[in-house]
Each structure stands twice: as C-alpha cells, then as structure tokens.
C-alpha cells in the first residue's frame, strides 16, 4: 500500500486528500519508484483549480517531479534496475501519471538516473526548472558567451535556473524582480545585474546594463503590457520567449520594434523538449553535466512532509518563495 494525493473536485488546497492505494506492478515501459522527494510546480495548482490545459478527471492525481529509488521495472525496460537512484522529468499529462505519492509508476522515457552528488531533495528540485530554461536559452535561443539575457520573475525556480545556465555558458544574466527586496539574493545567485521593475525605469536600466547593446534573449513567464518595454530594449535579431502568463492581459508589442530589429517572439513550453526524444536526450546530457560539475545547483526554498501537501501548495500560492518547494517522504 502507498499513500497518494488525490482530489475529487476543483478548488483550493483543502480539496486535496491523502489516501492509501495498492500500486500495481509496472506495466511495459514503466518504472515503479519508491519516492523520497517531490518537487512542486505551478502547473499542479492550476490543475487543482481547474485552470490547466486539461480538465481533471476524478478521482484525479497530480505531480510532475519526484526522485527516489527504483522498486521494480516493467517489460522492455533495460536501462534501469531495482535500487537505481532516479528522478522524473515532466513529459506526461496528469491524466496519465501523478508523482504525489510514496510509491508511483512513471513512464520510462521520463525517468533519468541523477548524478550521485545530488540529494533526493535536490534531484526532485532540478529537472522541471533546468530543462525549461535549457530549452529556451540553449536548444532554441543558442545563447552564446558574452550575450545579454533578461530574465523576468528571476527569483522563481525557473528564473534561478536560467541565471545559472546563462552563467554556465558565459552569458550575462540580467534579473528582473518587482521590488529590491530580493536584490542581494539574486546577485548572490549569479545575476550580473538586478532591476526592480516597480521601483526603477526598466527601459533605462536594461539599456544601461547592456551598454546599449540590448537583450539578445528575453525569457519571460509574465507577459502583459510591459512586454512593449522589453522589446524596446532588445538587440537586433533578438529572441523573446514567452513561457507563462502570470499577467494574462494581452501583450502590446510595437510593430516597428519587431520589423526594425528583426525580432523573434515565440511561445514556449517545456513539453516542446520533453516530448521530442532527440531534444530530450540533449537536455538530459546538458543538465546532468551541469549538475555533476556543480555549475547547476538547485535552490530549495522550503521543504514540507507529504502530510503537509496542502500547506505546501498554499505556500506556493503566496508567491513568496525563492527557488523550489520540495515535499519529503521518509
């Protein structure tokens, strides 16, 4: 028997239930994992609220990221064995699998052996944020040493991952955050500069910090009207990646910025990488190398126990965390 998290109606964190279930043997191309840590993601709250890209089918499971030890493998699984320390990379829908539980089955394509220098908590905190940032900055953006990358909502887990990846490549990460409260933290995390957008002139500061060159890449989970200010300070042939919609208002983009500087603006999501075997393989290799070398180091804001899963999600909803929220299972 395993404790798992489920819910039978959409709503606040109070709809989450912890129940005991019999976890079946892994099917073909599945791996059964005894979970030690779970990484929380904004998508799980959206799914619980009924605001995700798919509607929940009740009783619903949730959870994209976990780390633990292989308990059993199904047919056609040759790359993993019981006892292996593994992590799960988001590359499935909640209607198919959910990682919130003591023992879970996961599709083999989503499972990776993580570097030995990581704790289970660090491993559970790594893959969503690093692969998300890798896809935009490296796979599509081809970020180069010396280039400027502007990172909006920089204190989020993905924002911090983007800072580290930019530093790893020798690029210059410029962190955007609403207030100056997180300035020192972001500088200590590797940001070359921090701009408090509610307190400073974003256009003037980005122009100054890039010595007039502008941003070669903008990595943005917010959107909204302020996108116009960002395109104004982008470099020629710059690329703008919109990977979220924290501000759901329409983006206002001056057409002459796009035409005059030959900008590329595109929507981007993690599943572009994790559902493509070749791109997924490159992402695994890049992130694993960074984690192994220590150049990529997940930042964990706070940990909770499985019994505190509702509190963990409520904490995420306060938007006060810096880095990843992790749930531990002993």
């Amino acid at each position: 028997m395993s404790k798992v998290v489920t819910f039978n109606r959409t709503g606040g964190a109070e709809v989450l239930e912890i129940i005991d279930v019999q976890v079946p043997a892994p099917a073909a191309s599945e791996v059964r994992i005894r979970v030690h840590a779970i990484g929380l993601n904004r998508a799980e709250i959206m799914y619980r609220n009924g605001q995700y890209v798919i509607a929940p089918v009740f009783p619903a499971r949730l959870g994209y990221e976990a780390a633990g030890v292989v308990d059993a493998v199904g047919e056609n699984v040759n790359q993993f064995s019981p006892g292996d320390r593994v992590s799960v990379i988001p590359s499935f829908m909640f209607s198919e699998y959910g990682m919130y539980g003591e023992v879970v089955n996961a599709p083999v394509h989503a499972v990776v052996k993580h570097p030995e220098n990581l704790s289970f908590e660090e491993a559970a905190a790594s893959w969503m944020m690093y692969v998300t940032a890798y896809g935009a900055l490296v796979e599509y953006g081809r970020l180069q040493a010396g280039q400027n990358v502007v990172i909006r909502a920089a204190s989020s887990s993905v924002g911090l991952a983007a800072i580290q990846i930019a530093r790893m490549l020798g690029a210059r990460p410029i962190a955007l955050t609403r207030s100056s409260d997180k300035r020192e933290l972001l500088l200590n995390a590797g940001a070359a500069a921090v701009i408090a957008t509610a307190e400073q002139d974003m256009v003037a500061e980005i122009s100054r910090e890039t010595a007039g060159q502008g941003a070669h890449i903008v990595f943005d989970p917010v959107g909204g009207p302020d996108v116009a200010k960002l395109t104004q300070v982008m470099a020629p042939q710059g690329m703008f990646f919109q990977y979220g919609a924290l501000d759901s208002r329409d983006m206002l983009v001056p057409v002459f910025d796009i035409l005059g500087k030959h900008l590329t603006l595109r929507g981007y999501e993690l599943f572009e990488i994790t559902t493509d075997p070749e791109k997924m393989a490159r992402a695994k290799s890049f992130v694993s190398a960074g984690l192994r070398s220590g150049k990529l180091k997940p930042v964990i804001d706070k940990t909770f126990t499985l019994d505190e899963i509702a509190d963990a999600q409520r904490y995420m909803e306060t938007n006060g965390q810096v880095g990843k929220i992790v749930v531990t299972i002993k």
Side-chain angles (χ1 to χ4, degrees), residues 273-290:
I273 304 298
T274 61
T275 58
D276 183 306
E278 292 184 359
K279 293 174 183 175
M280 178 76 137
R282 289 194 289 268
K284 286 180 179 179
S285 178
F286 181 93
V287 174
S288 291

Side-chain angles (χ1 to χ4, degrees), residues 154-185:
S155 62
S156 69
S157 59
V158 177
L160 293 172
I163 290 172
Q164 292 183 12
I165 287 175
R167 280 295 191 190
M168 182 176 170
L169 296 173
R172 193 166 188 271
I174 298 170
L176 305 188
T177 184
R178 282 193 54 79
S179 73
S180 57
D181 294 348
K182 297 174 181 177
R183 182 181 301 277
E184 288 303 314
L185 184 148

